[in-house]
Each structure stands twice: as structure tokens, then as C-alpha cells.
């Protein structure tokens, strides 16, 4: 197994790194699909198990392909869990029992992943913001309005809205510093 | 396999705000997910946006729970916990007393200064659309819908309207709707409540 510069990478060291790096991301992806925190954690765990098995068995040779392989595995695991749940619900219905609904319950599944302590911390900072800034965040992250529409409402340009939103997130102390940027492209 | 994105694509197409607010297309959502597996900065921004959304949506009760549980990171917070807990209990008791002794307001009736008149419409797909007059100085409206057979549903919106999906609401029985208008410092400057009949 080799990285982008052709150096060999030990599978066990890589497996440990993958588990740390991807776990939270996989839980988020699964929560969006399954709408249930416990099911999302199970899906992330199963995805990591399959990815780590593939790494140890040498089935992923090009590490640049690892994100795509992990993503496809996660998607497959979630689809499988949803199919199983559907089959279980149908069986309960056939037996005229109350369906043991596990997934698809929460209208805002991503918020399930944020702890009460974290929410309190962010709210405390939010309350110190200017009203316009709070409205900007509300329109962006709660109502999901396009940047152009937010700009029109607040009398700003779209570029100003994006820059201000990014600065606000940093001011809220919730963004990892840009120096850690390891994106594949920019 | 989803399209490959750059960080510039993520920013210029507002994919992070759309993703956390649930309005993104499935194709864009998957493309963003694939991108953040390899991009620390966009992943950090996605986490941040998710946390901000959760905080903006958070009902007051859970915020108070977090404080009582010692959620504040400030070290001097703990000595106030008994007082905060007592205050929350008193406020809850006062709220319950007020609710018990205040007769439900009639739909679409305005009762003077500081009271919001709420109008509710059942939509064809079973959802509920609520509207009320905009209130000067209001930055956020806190909307709470309580049904007889489901947990209360709460939303915080900046416009004087809110929509609740069929799946969010009590399937049977009348609904109690309460709206509070809050100013920039979180004070309630107007409120309104109404009772809506069962879904037709």
C-alpha cells in the first residue's frame, strides 16, 4: 500500500488514522440518511470495520482512492440498514404490531449530534453578536436561504455575506484554524 | 460516484448552509460528503455550521438543562447552580400556573399592544402554515406547537411565518400554537397563542 508520493504505509498505522479521522464524518453522513443518532453510530462503526478490513487485506492499494472507497462503503451500509428497517416495519405491520421505528424519526437529525454543553457554549457566544449577524446566521443555517437572497434582505453583496458568515463562524470559536487545511484542491 | 468538488465550489454554491439546513439536493449532499472526507477546512466549516444551527434551534428548556448540568465552561458557574436550578423551577411553576389559569385565545384575534394575532392554514399535504404580523424590533420568533398525542414541536424563525410538516405534528386532536417575538437581546417583546382544530 502506498501514498500519493509512492511511499509504503503500514496498514495498521493507517487503519488507526482512518478511524480517528473519519469516524465523526461518517456519523454525520449516516445521521442525515438514518435520522437517528444510535443508528448513525452503528453505521459509522460498520463502515469503519469494512474499510479497515479492506486496508488490512490490501484491497485498497491507492490511498488517494480511500475517501471515495470510504464514502461508497458508508452509503452502502446506510442503504442496507434502511432496507432492513423497512422489512422489519412491514413484518410488524403484517402482524398488526406497533412498528419498532428506529430510523426516520427526527426532523433535524444533524442537531442530534451536538451535545447540550456545546449548544450552550455556542448560544452564549451567539447572544453577544450584533442583531444583523444573528439574522445572517439564522437565514443561512436555519432557513437555508440562498446567499443572494440573504444579501438582498440585509443590504449586502453576496460576497460580503459569505465573508461575514465565515468570519462569524470563526468568531464563534467553532472553526478549526485554516492552517490545518489539507484539502485536495482549492 | 458523486461529482468531485473544490473548496471554491463548496463556498460559491452555499453547499454547507444548504446541507445543514436540509435544503440541499441529494446529489450535492453526496458530493459535499465525498469532498469533506478529504478536506479538513470544509469539514471544520460543516461542523461549525451544524453547531450554530443546533444552537439557533435549541428550545430554552434544553439550554437551561445544560446550565444545570454544568454545561458552562466558566469555572465560577457551578456555585450558582442551585440558584439557577431554583429559578428554573420557579419559572416553570409560574409558566404552568399561567397556562392553567389563562383561557385559550380565540384564533385570529388581536388583543392590544404586545399580542400577536396568529393565523393557521392546513396545507393540502397535511402540513401546517402559520403566519402573524411582523413585530417592530423582533429579531427572532419562537414558535411552539403542542398537540394532544405528540411532544411539542418548536422552531425559531426570523420571518413572521413558519411551516410544520405533517410528520412533525400530532396526528389527531387540536393543536395549541404559541409564538413569542424576541428582540436582539433575547427579551420577549410580544406574544400570541391560539388553538387550532384538528387536521381536516
Amino acid at each position: 500500500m502506498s501514498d500519493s508520493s509512492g511511499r509504503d504505509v503500514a496498514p495498521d498505522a493507517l487503519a488507526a488514522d482512518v478511524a480517528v479521522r473519519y469516524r465523526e464524518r461518517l456519523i454525520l453522513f449516516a445521521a442525515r440518511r438514518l435520522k437517528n443518532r444510535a443508528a448513525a453510530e452503528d453505521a459509522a462503526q460498520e463502515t469503519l470495520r469494512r474499510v479497515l478490513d479492506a486496508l488490512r487485506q490490501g484491497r485498497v492499494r491507492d490511498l488517494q482512492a480511500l475517501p471515495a472507497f470510504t464514502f461508497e462503503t458508508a452509503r452502502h451500509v446506510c442503504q442496507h440498514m434502511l432496507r432492513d428497517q423497512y422489512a422489519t416495519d412491514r413484518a410488524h405491520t403484517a402482524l398488526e404490531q406497533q412498528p419498532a421505528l428506529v430510523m426516520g424519526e427526527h426532523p433535524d437529525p444533524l442537531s442530534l449530534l451536538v451535545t447540550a454543553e456545546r449548544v450552550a457554549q455556542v448560544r452564549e457566544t451567539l447572544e453577544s453578536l450584533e442583531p444583523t449577524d444573528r439574522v445572517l446566521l439564522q437565514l443561512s443555517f436555519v432557513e437555508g436561504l440562498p446567499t443572494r437572497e440573504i444579501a438582498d434582505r440585509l443590504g449586502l453583496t453576496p460576497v460580503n455575506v459569505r465573508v461575514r458568515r465565515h468570519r462569524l463562524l470563526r468568531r464563534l470559536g467553532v472553526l478549526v484554524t485554516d492552517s490545518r487545511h489539507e484539502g485536495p484542491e482549492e | 460516484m458523486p461529482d468531485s468538488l473544490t473548496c471554491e465550489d463548496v463556498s460559491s454554491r452555499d453547499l454547507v448552509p444548504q446541507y445543514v439546513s436540509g435544503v440541499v439536493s441529494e446529489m450535492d449532499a453526496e458530493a459535499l460528503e465525498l469532498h469533506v472526507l478529504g478536506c479538513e477546512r470544509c469539514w471544520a466549516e460543516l461542523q461549525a455550521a451544524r453547531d450554530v444551527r443546533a444552537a439557533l434551534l435549541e428550545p430554552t428548556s434544553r439550554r437551561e438543562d445544560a446550565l444545570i448540568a454544568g454545561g458552562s465552561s466558566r469555572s465560577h458557574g457551578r456555585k450558582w447552580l442551585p440558584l439557577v436550578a431554583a429559578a428554573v423551577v420557579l419559572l416553570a411553576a409560574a409558566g404552568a400556573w399561567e397556562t392553567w389559569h389563562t383561557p385559550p385565545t380565540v384564533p385570529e384575534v388581536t388583543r392590544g399592544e404586545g399580542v400577536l394575532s396568529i393565523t393557521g392554514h392546513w396545507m393540502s399535504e397535511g402540513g401546517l402554515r402559520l403566519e402573524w404580523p411582523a413585530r417592530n424590533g423582533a429579531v427572532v420568533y419562537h414558535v411552539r406547537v403542542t398537540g394532544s398525542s405528540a411532544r411539542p414541536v418548536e422552531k425559531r424563525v426570523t420571518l413572521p411565518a413558519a411551516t410544520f410538516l405533517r410528520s412533525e405534528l400530532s396526528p389527531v386532536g387540536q393543536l395549541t400554537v404559541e409564538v413569542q417575538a424576541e428582540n436582539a437581546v433575547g427579551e420577549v417583546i410580544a406574544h400570541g397563542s391560539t388553538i387550532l382544530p384538528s387536521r381536516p
Side-chain angles (χ1 to χ4, degrees):
Chain A
M1 199 175 318
S2 58
D3 64 12
S4 56
S5 58
R7 289 175 304 185
D8 286 341
V9 180
D12 283 344
L14 180 64
D17 181 56
V18 164
V20 170
R21 180 185 289 255
Y22 286 166
R23 185 173 179 276
E24 291 299 316
R25 295 171 220 218
L26 294 172
I27 291 174
L28 182 86
F29 303 167
R32 184 179 72 83
R33 290 168 174 79
L34 306 177
K35 297 181 171 55
N36 178 289
R37 182 183 178 130
E41 288 179 353
D42 288 348
Q45 191 68 21
E46 175 61 15
T47 302
L48 283 172
R49 188 189 66 74
R50 294 186 190 188
V51 170
L52 300 185
D53 281 351
L55 286 171
R56 289 186 179 122
Q57 292 163 12
R59 287 189 280 125
V60 182
R61 297 191 178 280
D62 178 6
L63 289 187
Q64 286 189 307
L66 187 58
F69 178 80
T70 306
F71 175 79
E72 285 298 338
T73 305
R75 186 159 65 171
H76 180 77
V77 167
C78 288
Q79 285 171 347
H80 187 74
M81 290 178 73
L82 284 170
R83 271 200 302 269
D84 279 357
Q85 183 62 41
Y86 178 71
T88 305
D89 285 349
R90 279 181 62 94
H92 279 286
T93 304
L95 293 169
E96 296 184 351
Q97 292 177 353
Q98 190 71 13
L101 188 61
V102 173
M103 286 170 271
E105 290 177 328
H106 203 280
D108 191 48
L110 304 189
S111 294
L112 289 173
L113 308 178
V114 187
T115 65
E117 289 76 13
R118 179 66 175 149
V119 166
Q121 180 191 26
V122 176
R123 276 212 69 97
E124 192 174 308
T125 315
L126 279 174
E127 284 161 11
S128 70
L129 297 179
E130 296 292 320
T132 308
D133 289 339
R134 285 178 61 182
V135 171
L136 190 155
L137 293 174
Q138 179 91 15
L139 295 176
S140 298
F141 299 126
V142 176
E143 300 189 19
L145 294 183
T147 292
R148 184 183 299 276
E149 190 172 336
I150 298 171
D152 287 345
R153 289 195 189 189
L154 298 179
L156 302 169
T157 68
V159 171
N160 281 340
V161 169
R162 289 197 180 97
V163 169
R164 201 160 168 171
R165 186 164 55 209
H166 185 70
R167 286 181 182 161
L168 281 169
L169 289 177
R170 293 190 63 169
R171 181 175 164 190
L172 285 160
V174 286
L175 265 184
V176 177
T177 174
D178 283 355
S179 64
R180 287 186 55 193
H181 185 212
E182 297 166 20
E185 58 249 320
E186 179 69 292
Chain B
M1 179 66 65
D3 290 343
S4 176
L5 295 175
T6 65
C7 297
E8 177 58 30
D9 294 332
V10 172
S11 175
S12 64
R13 290 165 57 186
D14 301 333
L15 293 183
V16 167
Q18 287 187 15
Y19 185 94
V20 298
S21 52
V23 299
V24 71
S25 70
E26 185 61 23
M27 187 182 297
D28 282 345
E30 293 197 338
L32 179 65
E33 288 170 347
L34 179 58
H35 176 77
V36 301
L37 276 175
C39 179
E40 294 301 320
R41 190 176 74 171
C42 291
W43 167 237
E45 186 157 340
L46 185 57
Q47 286 179 291
R50 176 201 62 189
D51 293 356
V52 168
R53 175 180 164 85
L56 287 168
L57 288 173
E58 189 62 15
T60 307
S61 57
R62 185 173 150 184
R63 297 192 324 248
E64 287 159 352
D65 290 347
L67 287 171
I68 292 168
S72 171
S73 58
R74 290 175 300 184
S75 59
H76 65 268
R78 279 186 188 279
K79 68 181 179 183
W80 294 102
L81 286 181
L83 287 176
V84 172
V88 170
V89 169
L90 283 173
L91 283 171
W97 177 264
E98 181 74 14
T99 304
W100 183 259
H101 288 273
T102 305
T105 53
V106 179
E108 301 185 39
V109 171
T110 301
R111 298 191 176 194
E113 187 66 17
V115 177
L116 298 171
S117 169
I118 307 162
T119 308
H121 305 282
W122 289 108
M123 298 186 293
S124 57
E125 66 274 24
L128 176 63
R129 174 75 175 172
L130 298 170
E131 296 175 355
W132 54 91
R135 172 78 183 176
N136 278 345
V139 174
V140 171
Y141 298 95
H142 186 181
V143 190
R144 179 184 172 96
V145 177
T146 310
S148 56
S149 63
R151 288 177 298 179
V153 189
E154 301 189 49
K155 290 191 176 179
R156 295 173 72 84
V157 294
T158 53
L159 302 176
T163 302
F164 291 84
L165 303 177
R166 182 189 185 96
S167 59
E168 294 179 278
L169 300 172
S170 173
V172 293
Q174 63 185 20
L175 298 173
T176 302
V177 178
E178 299 161 275
V179 177
Q180 290 185 336
E182 296 177 7
N183 64 14
V185 293
E187 295 170 339
V188 176
I189 56 174
H191 68 278
S193 64
T194 190
I195 293 181
L196 298 174
S198 300
R199 183 186 293 125

